[in-house]
Amino acid sequence: MREIYLDNNATTKVDERVFEEMRPYFCELYGNPSSMHFFGGQVQKKVDEARARVASLLGALPDEIVFTACGTESDNAAIRSALEVFPEKRHIITSRVEHPAVLTQCRNLTKRGYRVTELNVDGNGQLDLNELEKALDEDTAIVSLMYANNETGVIFPIEEAARIVKKKGAIFHTDAVQAVGKIPLNMAESAIDMLSLSGHKLHAPKGVGVLYVRRGTPFRPMLVGGHQERGRRAGTENTASIIAMGKACELAEQYMADEAGRVRELRDRLERELTALIPNTRINGGGTDRLPNTLSIAMEFVEGEGILLLLSDKGICASSGSACTSGSLEPSHVLRAMGVPFTCAHGSIRFSLSRFTTDDDIDAVIKELPPIISRLREMSPFGREYLVQK
Ligand code: PLP
């Protein structure tokens, strides 16, 4: 069965051009970039090139790029650093819809005496910057807000938020794991202090990330030991993956504008046709700015897990807006924070597209999903009640 892969916000295929770039750095060019000899030196040159490529995509300077092991590490390192830089400050601001890489860490910090404000979002998943302004005080060490939401694709007004935060002297960090490579970013004209990204969301392999740290931003490393990454992240570099990350960023920079337009057209067609063919649907985050590749569609009176399994039987890979916790199906924290009604949140499915998504992939979902929903609505007690009402 051919897979129709529409779960790119979970992870992406490694681009073959990226794979070819990293391939020699396992069995042939395996030197340690810190070594003095020529053999390590040639790897160091490629690591430097990768750093320059990442910097170029972000409109940053190469020495502002710190390679890490994943987006989660970058998020953790940013928050921990700010708390060490300002040991006297005990307040953190974030939002209710962050990825657990930020949210779990912040919630854990409350057990160590930190005060954490989780900003609310409206029905579209959007922030209210007045709430941010009111929450900031002299005690705020760091504000960490995501650039774009992994479940809904909703884009926060991050530049405005960063400017508000900088006026109060706190550090501003953004988790841009879902945004980088999908929408343009330019750190040269930004007020952001730190920004996280992750290789596997932009066609590089899993297990490599980046933390952008603006020049002049005080920083304390989470991992200490060797002097790698200018003392900001100890540990021998994951050279092959770093080189892959550089190539992935170069490709994103070259093709993003064209790809984003094509992907947006595919996503919009999927959205239009599904909402026309399936009654009682709504688009989560549909009334605000969203990533071009993400569609989170809520279908009333059905359960996401059932839909995913039946789609999977047809070769279609998507994900749901629920997390299966301790045997009970809880709607995701993002949809709950948006106030999506329980009957809709349960039946929320996320389709996330990439440069490899084709017209045929979209046609397949348009053909397969509507009959799956009718079948499930007939089977579920909620669905039957709804059909009787009609
Ligand atoms: N932040 C966001 C918004 C994400 O979507 C993810 C991954 O799903 C992460 C952070 C974590 O990245 P990684 O898997 O590289 O640790």
Side-chain angles (χ1 to χ4, degrees):
M1 184 167 55
R2 179 177 86 88
E3 89 275 6
I4 295 162
Y5 188 75
L6 295 169
D7 200 12
N8 288 281
N9 286 8
T11 198
T12 59
K13 170 183 164 161
V14 174
D15 192 301
E16 270 153 41
R17 292 164 288 185
V18 169
F19 183 58
E20 285 312 317
E21 188 93 358
M22 79 188 289
R23 189 202 285 273
Y25 295 88
F26 291 100
C27 302
E28 295 152 47
L29 299 167
Y30 53 82
N32 187 325
S34 302
S35 297
M36 292 299 288
H37 46 68
F38 78 96
F39 194 59
Q42 56 197 6
V43 182
Q44 181 63 55
K45 267 202 196 124
K46 278 299 281 191
V47 169
D48 290 344
E49 182 190 73
R51 200 181 303 282
R53 285 171 166 177
V54 176
S56 175
L57 175 65
L58 298 178
L61 301 166
D63 64 17
E64 294 175 322
I65 303 302
V66 180
F67 287 110
T68 65
C70 54
T72 301
E73 184 192 323
S74 302
D75 287 343
N76 275 254
I79 294 170
R80 277 162 190 249
S81 169
L83 299 181
E84 279 200 40
V85 165
F86 297 125
E88 69 293 354
K89 298 191 179 189
R90 309 293 288 175
H91 182 221
I92 303 165
I93 300 177
T94 186
S95 83
R96 285 178 64 193
V97 297
E98 298 297 310
H99 187 274
V102 167
L103 210 46
T104 306
Q105 197 192 176
C106 290
R107 287 179 182 170
N108 286 348
L109 284 163
T110 61
K111 295 180 202 134
R112 290 176 37 201
Y114 287 93
R115 194 160 52 91
V116 175
T117 303
E118 293 180 15
L119 300 177
N120 293 304
V121 293
D122 65 15
N124 271 313
Q126 197 49 272
L127 276 183
D128 175 358
L129 292 180
N130 292 323
E131 202 192 334
L132 168 64
E133 218 157 355
K134 280 190 211 132
L136 275 164
D137 59 34
E138 301 305 318
D139 197 33
T140 311
I142 181 165
V143 176
S144 180
L145 294 171
M146 67 201 319
Y147 213 107
N149 189 274
N150 43 301
E151 288 190 30
T152 59
V154 167
I155 299 172
F156 278 166
I158 284 301
E159 285 304 337
E160 289 92 315
R163 281 195 291 273
I164 292 170
V165 171
K166 293 320 295 167
K167 276 194 234 146
K168 283 280 183 180
I171 287 182
F172 185 82
H173 165 253
T174 183
D175 173 345
V177 164
Q178 293 293 344
V180 174
K182 295 174 189 158
I183 52 174
L185 301 176
N186 184 6
M187 292 304 106
E189 288 174 6
S190 167
I192 295 167
D193 295 311
M194 290 192 271
L195 173 146
S196 304
L197 57 142
S198 172
H200 73 105
K201 309 291 185 181
L202 72 155
H203 305 292
K206 294 159 189 65
V208 60
V210 163
L211 181 63
Y212 158 86
V213 184
R214 179 175 297 283
R215 248 189 212 179
T217 301
F219 187 77
R220 303 283 181 278
M222 188 166 75
L223 293 189
V224 293
H227 297 293
Q228 292 89 355
E229 300 299 302
R230 295 170 171 248
R232 290 170 298 182
R233 201 274 188 181
T236 301
E237 296 88 340
N238 178 0
T239 50
S241 292
I242 286 172
I243 289 161
M245 179 70 148
K247 183 68 183 171
C249 287
E250 185 189 66
L251 292 174
E253 190 174 359
Q254 279 172 2
Y255 301 114
M256 184 164 41
D258 293 345
E259 274 170 3
R262 193 186 70 84
V263 165
R264 184 186 293 278
E265 275 174 25
L266 290 175
R267 191 276 310 267
D268 289 349
R269 180 161 77 85
L270 183 62
E271 179 172 321
R272 254 192 333 270
E273 302 224 11
L274 291 182
T275 44
L277 291 167
I278 305 171
N280 291 59
T281 54
R282 53 180 268 176
I283 305 301
N284 298 317
T288 189
D289 215 10
R290 273 180 302 156
L291 292 173
N293 80 317
T294 307
L295 170 60
S296 172
I297 180 166
M299 291 162 286
E300 269 190 294
F301 312 113
V302 270
E303 274 184 359
E305 276 60 28
I307 308 171
L308 286 186
L309 290 176
L310 293 175
L311 282 175
S312 179
D313 284 347
K314 304 284 180 190
I316 299 169
C317 311
S319 72
S320 80
S322 308
C324 192
T325 42
S326 58
S328 70
L329 292 173
E330 273 284 302
S332 85
H333 70 289
V334 176
L335 300 181
R336 268 183 293 151
M338 290 165 68
V340 175
F342 194 75
T343 49
C344 282
H346 256 303
S348 282
I349 297 289
R350 178 188 72 188
F351 295 102
S352 46
L353 289 59
S354 84
R355 70 167 63 124
F356 297 114
T357 306
T358 63
D359 273 310
D360 288 350
D361 295 339
I362 300 302
D363 289 342
V365 181
I366 292 166
K367 175 169 166 251
E368 301 295 352
L369 186 59
I372 287 176
I373 301 301
S374 321
R375 220 172 105 196
L376 287 173
R377 280 181 177 162
E378 274 161 31
M379 282 160 61
S380 114
F382 290 134
R384 275 202 302 274
E385 227 168 83
Y386 148 77
L387 291 172
V388 169
Q389 279 171 26
K390 295 208 102 188

